[in-house]
Amino acid sequence: MSASRGILMPGRWHAHSMRTLVAHTTFGSGRRTISLKSLFTPSPPSDMVHGSSGKKQRILVKPNDLFHPLSKSPVKEMREKGALIQQHGCCTTCVKETTAAGKPATREPKFECPDCGYPTHCSEPHWKQDTTHKEELCGHLREANEDEHDLRSGRTLREFEFPSAQLPEIVVNLSSWDSYLYTRSFTNINSNRAMRHVSKVLTYPVTIGSVLHQYSPFVLSNGLTPEGLKSMTALRTTIKEHDLARSEKELAMQQMPLRVFVLGARAEAMLPPHLYLQLAYLLPNSPVHVYFVGPECIPAADEARSTIVVSSRLVLKYHKSYFHDAIWNFAPFDPYTDVFFMFSPGIGHPRARPGWQPTVEKLLETKCAVFATGFHERDMQADVRALREDFSDKMDWLLEPRENPFASLKRDFGIRNLREWAISNWGIYGFRGKRYEVQRQE
């Protein structure tokens, strides 16, 4: 199932960087007011600053000096990343040439671009010849260079101090990242770089929440089909019952949890469990059980348990197996309480397609809503095309393929080829097994 990610490796490569990010992060739990004091307070003159705990922290990279060539970076992980690209990457100019045997040339990229700091070409002449790199890629690579150094700089990452539960009288706006962060009182996000950092980790829980929420951006006028409206009405009926159960004891005794299945889970299963509280805050009265299912599904590094109770209304469960093999652990299924998500599954990738087919077969049998994402338009369209070719007579479309307003704002680049990039959850689409038997008549 993971062949498509094996090429770009956004999930695997950034698993370490994600753990590093969390190690330098302090999460808040209370509601905060906006303070402008930090904007005008000068930084300490030395490379030691006081962290939120009162202890001194060593600053590896200063905020006004984030750009460094990877080979000369003060951060060990960045130097190792540069060496990895030099070892496994290729010069994009050489690829356009051919060897005497008629095969593409693959010289190692030993020359670091002075503008983005990444090893991109085998030599300076080849770097100068590559106008495509300068026009289309260099700026994004420099942005990634500075973002990665910022995450590992040693500073206190205050943008990761997230708000707690929303007050009942305040409505969340889910039309975009800006409106969501504003109405949810993320007061510490004051730059585009901070937005990229936060969206990288929140894209998973917020994408789930944006689909299920009563004020979802996905409506009939924005991609939702009539069949999709039926499925979402069923799920939101259950969510409404959870809201009513607050004041009615009989309903409270009968309520069933909302089950969210994340299939082929990888990086999304390695997020710190409390990040999924942002999903629970979007559905404040609903008990939510999130099931991470997949052969690469493992919880966060410091968790060895298969079940993590994050709060009284949020439980995370991990099943390291294929869904079609473990389906009887979860049956029976109910379209009113169960929904499936697949984050960049790569269904259309030639090596992954056979592995996904038995899973999709079982998914269609459940008659529950299924939502999937892609990391760019070409990836999403390949998955959609594979579904249409293999299951067109067995499925209904719930959400037409389109850009996801809660995609990550950060680009991830492939180690083997820097021109291959991915944006987590760039696009989204939805489908479901047909509710009615269809017989063709000649």
Side-chain angles (χ1 to χ4, degrees):
M1 291 187 187
S2 60
S4 64
R5 282 247 188 118
I7 296 174
L8 290 172
M9 297 189 293
R12 293 192 181 95
W13 173 255
H14 287 274
H16 174 74
S17 63
M18 191 172 295
R19 288 194 292 270
T20 305
L21 178 152
V22 173
H24 291 83
T25 301
T26 302
F27 291 84
S29 59
R31 183 170 302 280
R32 298 174 305 282
T33 58
I34 298 177
S35 173
L36 301 180
K37 180 179 179 181
S38 61
L39 298 178
F40 305 103
T41 303
S43 301
S46 69
D47 64 348
M48 302 294 290
V49 299
H50 291 279
S52 58
S53 62
K55 297 181 180 180
K56 287 187 176 181
Q57 296 174 309
R58 182 169 181 262
I59 299 298
L60 295 176
V61 184
K62 295 182 179 180
N64 59 352
D65 187 29
L66 293 177
F67 174 75
H68 295 273
L70 298 196
S71 63
K72 300 177 182 179
S73 171
V75 181
K76 179 183 177 182
E77 291 89 343
M78 298 300 290
R79 296 195 299 273
E80 292 175 345
K81 182 176 182 178
L84 196 64
I85 295 173
Q86 289 184 351
Q87 181 180 357
H88 298 285
C90 60
C91 170
T92 54
T93 303
C94 287
V95 170
K96 299 177 184 178
E97 302 175 352
T98 56
T99 63
K103 297 181 179 180
T106 54
R107 297 187 187 91
E108 296 174 345
K110 298 296 185 181
F111 178 80
E112 282 184 327
C113 171
D115 297 323
C116 69
Y118 275 77
T120 56
H121 297 80
C122 65
S123 63
E124 185 174 0
H126 272 197
W127 169 73
K128 290 181 178 180
Q129 291 177 29
D130 193 354
T131 56
T132 302
H133 169 77
K134 299 178 179 64
E135 294 172 357
E136 301 178 5
L137 189 63
C138 189
H140 294 296
L141 285 172
R142 182 175 181 115
E143 183 179 271
N145 181 315
E146 294 178 355
D147 285 354
E148 293 297 321
H149 278 102
D150 184 49
L151 286 174
R152 296 166 173 82
S153 64
R155 72 175 178 89
T156 300
L157 299 170
R158 299 198 180 279
E159 55 265 44
F160 289 97
E161 296 176 357
F162 296 160
S164 58
Q166 190 87 340
L167 294 174
E169 61 270 20
I170 300 179
V171 178
V172 179
N173 188 320
L174 290 167
S175 60
S176 66
W177 274 119
D178 285 331
S179 59
Y180 166 76
L181 296 172
Y182 178 75
T183 54
R184 277 288 290 124
S185 300
F186 282 76
T187 58
N188 288 331
I189 300 177
N190 51 22
S191 68
N192 289 334
R193 177 167 290 113
M195 286 274 287
R196 291 193 293 272
H197 292 340
V198 170
S199 68
K200 174 67 178 177
V201 295
L202 284 190
T203 180
Y204 301 103
V206 177
T207 293
I208 296 173
S210 69
V211 170
L212 299 176
H213 199 273
Q214 62 175 328
Y215 299 127
S216 170
F218 307 112
V219 294
L220 287 175
S221 60
N222 189 32
L224 195 69
T225 67
E227 289 298 321
L229 181 61
K230 295 176 184 177
S231 288
M232 298 317 301
T233 299
L235 290 165
R236 288 168 189 158
T237 297
T238 300
I239 295 172
K240 186 63 177 178
E241 289 177 353
H242 293 160
D243 294 339
L244 296 174
R246 293 179 58 195
S247 56
E248 296 187 22
K249 291 184 178 181
E250 291 186 7
L251 280 176
M253 295 175 61
Q254 299 174 5
Q255 67 178 349
M256 297 292 291
L258 194 65
R259 299 199 301 175
V260 178
F261 293 88
V262 180
L263 306 187
R266 287 158 292 187
E268 55 270 28
M270 298 181 67
L271 291 174
H274 50 267
L275 282 181
Y276 282 92
L277 282 171
Q278 298 305 316
L279 168 61
Y281 295 150
L282 289 174
L283 308 171
N285 299 314
S286 296
V288 180
H289 292 185
V290 181
Y291 293 78
F292 296 104
V293 185
E296 300 175 58
C297 166
I298 55 174
D302 58 341
E303 297 285 353
R305 297 165 291 176
S306 60
T307 300
I308 301 175
V309 180
V310 183
S311 72
S312 60
R313 292 190 176 274
L314 178 63
V315 178
L316 307 182
K317 300 186 178 184
Y318 301 82
H319 295 265
K320 195 173 182 180
S321 60
Y322 290 105
F323 175 74
H324 56 267
D325 292 333
I327 187 171
W328 299 114
N329 293 328
F330 316 120
F333 296 95
D334 186 348
Y336 279 79
T337 59
D338 300 333
V339 62
F340 294 86
F341 285 84
M342 300 186 295
F343 294 114
S344 302
I347 295 173
H349 192 278
R351 287 186 292 173
R353 190 167 178 173
W356 274 109
Q357 285 177 343
T359 289
V360 176
E361 286 276 5
K362 294 299 182 183
L363 280 177
L364 297 179
E365 292 176 8
T366 67
K367 311 300 183 186
C368 296
V370 183
F371 295 91
T373 66
F375 47 70
H376 48 58
E377 185 172 11
R378 188 174 67 254
D379 173 61
M380 180 175 65
Q381 292 300 337
D383 290 355
V384 170
R385 185 167 54 253
L387 289 171
R388 285 176 173 156
E389 292 174 356
D390 297 340
F391 305 102
S392 60
D393 59 337
K394 300 179 181 180
M395 59 184 286
D396 289 319
W397 290 100
L398 307 184
L399 180 65
E400 297 172 356
R402 62 206 316 99
E403 287 192 49
N404 178 15
F406 294 103
S408 170
L409 300 177
K410 179 181 178 181
R411 291 195 183 206
D412 298 319
F413 294 90
I415 297 297
R416 296 183 183 276
N417 187 349
L418 292 174
R419 289 191 177 181
E420 294 181 348
W421 54 267
I423 295 177
S424 299
N425 306 325
W426 177 90
I428 187 170
Y429 58 95
F431 60 94
R432 183 201 65 210
K434 282 188 179 293
R435 291 282 184 91
Y436 312 102
E437 294 293 336
V438 178
Q439 296 181 351
R440 298 182 181 274
Q441 294 183 351
E442 297 181 359

